[in-house]
Amino acid sequence: QIKLTGLITSMSDIQFALTILAVIIILIMIIFNWIRLIQYRKQNHAEKSFLYKDENGLSPEEKNPYDHDLSISEKYLLSNLPKDIYRDIDAIAFIRLNKATHATSKLNLRDFIELPHAHCFIRRNEDEWQSTEGLTGSASFDQILIAIQLVDRQGPISQAHTQTFRMLSEKTKNDLDGSLIWLSHSNIEEDAKELNQFCALVDHMMTLTLIPKNNGLFDNEKLIETLKTDGFKVNKDGFHEFKGRDKHPLFRVTSLNQQPLSFNLDPYIQGILFQMDLPLTLSCKESFDAMLESITNFQKELECMLVDSNKKELNVNHIERIRYQVEKIENQMVAKNIIPGSSCARRLFS
């Protein structure tokens, strides 16, 4: 009886230990599942797609008011576009093939090349995009990205080019057995018209005029010396250009007829222009202040004055109004996600 009682006591201890162990395991499972649930919610119920990546990878430059209409897969694609392709100025179509292929001959590259500002890229899986420009030999791919710029300084894309681009996109999809989605500007005609109106609003060459006092002439030797001292360099087009620390052009000096200064052909220079191409200038407001500083140096060295189109001297109020317009244009471009002086702006205003 004593042995039986001891055995029962021993079994009770084992059962108790097993119960404690089971409780611990259940608690661990609950904590593990709770952690997984939090991670799942943070991922915003991500689609089970080969294209998925954490949405936090999107930079502010890639945010867009139309994001809510895109799936996470499409957002990921837009955050991993090829270099110098921009959702804000390009109509972009993406084609995913049902199986990988080497059939580059079916990409209709000759027809794409004839379209202005059109680009075609290929890749396989998550590899980097490869431009088809100058593509030689075979390449394995299962994804195609094609893009065309909506507007340039000559105006919006033509209706004929729009129709050709659509036709080639559909033909490429069908020839290679794939599915097509538009990542941006599927309504090419209307979006191009709207973007062109915006470009007309902000496309300004800001110009300030300097003339010698008392209706005189510039001393050419002093003018040449001042240009050198102030850091102006002659660019490939013959203009005296001032560059920022990043070697990007900020403004230039020209003759009164907006041509490069030619000291040999024009020994009697009656005035010069300071010009800033606002859409192509980084940090417009700061660059404008740098230009004013340069103008002040010219005024000191050359005894000249800043005037309007009627040769009336500009005062501080005039300058402030000009600065306000410069800042306004810069803010309008930033709001449109086309940063002045960026590679995107340089493409758009080419």
Side-chain angles (χ1 to χ4, degrees), residues 3 15 30 42 80 82 163 242 289 310 319:
K3 289 182 180 181
Q15 288 175 341
I30 291 172
K42 282 185 178 180
N80 290 271
Q163 291 174 348
F242 183 89
D289 290 337
N310 297 317
I319 299 299

Side-chain angles (χ1 to χ4, degrees), residues 221-234:
E221 289 186 3
K222 277 190 174 182
L223 179 54
I224 293 171
E225 183 61 29
T226 304
L227 285 165
K228 289 181 180 178
T229 303
D230 238 39
F232 284 84
K233 304 290 184 182
V234 179

Side-chain angles (χ1 to χ4, degrees), residues 276-341:
M276 179 183 291
D277 195 342
L278 293 179
L280 301 183
T281 304
L282 290 168
S283 304
C284 295
K285 186 179 178 182
E286 288 77 7
S287 298
F288 178 72
D289 290 337
M291 188 171 78
L292 287 179
E293 184 178 345
S294 182
I295 288 173
T296 301
N297 293 338
F298 274 65
Q299 289 175 310
K300 290 178 181 177
E301 297 295 327
L302 301 170
E303 297 184 1
C304 55
M305 59 184 181
L306 196 58
V307 299
D308 60 17
S309 57
N310 297 317
K311 295 188 177 181
K312 182 179 178 180
E313 188 169 6
L314 297 181
N315 57 33
V316 175
N317 290 333
H318 286 108
I319 299 299
E320 285 304 314
R321 284 199 292 270
I322 295 171
R323 179 186 278 109
Y324 171 76
Q325 290 299 322
V326 170
E327 187 175 5
K328 180 181 178 181
I329 288 174
E330 181 177 23
N331 291 339
Q332 287 173 325
M333 292 188 65
V334 170
K336 194 73 172 177
N337 207 26
I338 302 170
I339 311 302

Side-chain angles (χ1 to χ4, degrees), residues 127-331:
D127 295 342
E128 288 189 9
W129 288 108
Q130 177 186 1
S131 173
T132 58
E133 186 176 349
L135 182 67
T136 57
S138 64
S140 176
F141 61 96
D142 60 7
Q143 299 168 53
I144 308 165
L145 188 140
I146 48 182
I148 192 165
Q149 188 170 318
L150 299 175
V151 175
D152 60 20
R153 266 185 164 155
Q154 283 65 54
I157 182 175
S158 69
Q159 185 178 13
H161 288 150
T162 297
Q163 291 174 348
T164 301
F165 182 75
R166 287 186 183 281
M167 180 271 293
L168 290 175
S169 301
E170 289 293 329
K171 185 175 187 300
T172 302
K173 177 200 72 173
N174 295 332
D175 289 350
L176 290 168
D177 187 24
S179 56
L180 183 150
I181 59 172
W182 287 93
L183 297 180
S184 70
H185 303 296
S186 58
N187 192 350
I188 298 176
E189 297 89 341
E190 288 300 316
D191 290 350
K193 182 180 178 181
E194 180 183 338
L195 182 59
N196 189 58
Q197 291 172 345
F198 168 78
C199 290
L201 183 67
V202 300
D203 193 4
H204 288 280
M205 176 74 79
M206 195 273 294
T207 302
L208 294 175
T209 305
L210 272 178
I211 62 171
K213 293 181 177 179
N214 303 319
N215 294 318
L217 300 172
F218 278 118
D219 181 324
N220 280 5
E221 289 186 3
K222 277 190 174 182
L223 179 54
I224 293 171
E225 183 61 29
T226 304
L227 285 165
K228 289 181 180 178
T229 303
D230 238 39
F232 284 84
K233 304 290 184 182
V234 179
N235 66 13
K236 61 182 179 62
D237 298 317
F239 289 99
H240 287 79
E241 195 172 60
F242 183 89
K243 295 184 177 181
R245 294 178 182 177
D246 59 353
K247 306 302 180 183
H248 190 82
L250 301 183
F251 49 90
R252 68 184 186 183
V253 169
T254 76
S255 64
L256 291 177
N257 61 1
Q258 303 189 45
Q259 297 301 311
L261 292 171
S262 180
F263 299 103
N264 294 329
L265 298 177
D266 188 7
Y268 307 108
I269 297 177
Q270 297 178 321
I272 57 175
L273 303 178
F274 276 74
Q275 293 187 321
M276 179 183 291
D277 195 342
L278 293 179
L280 301 183
T281 304
L282 290 168
S283 304
C284 295
K285 186 179 178 182
E286 288 77 7
S287 298
F288 178 72
D289 290 337
M291 188 171 78
L292 287 179
E293 184 178 345
S294 182
I295 288 173
T296 301
N297 293 338
F298 274 65
Q299 289 175 310
K300 290 178 181 177
E301 297 295 327
L302 301 170
E303 297 184 1
C304 55
M305 59 184 181
L306 196 58
V307 299
D308 60 17
S309 57
N310 297 317
K311 295 188 177 181
K312 182 179 178 180
E313 188 169 6
L314 297 181
N315 57 33
V316 175
N317 290 333
H318 286 108
I319 299 299
E320 285 304 314
R321 284 199 292 270
I322 295 171
R323 179 186 278 109
Y324 171 76
Q325 290 299 322
V326 170
E327 187 175 5
K328 180 181 178 181
I329 288 174
E330 181 177 23
N331 291 339

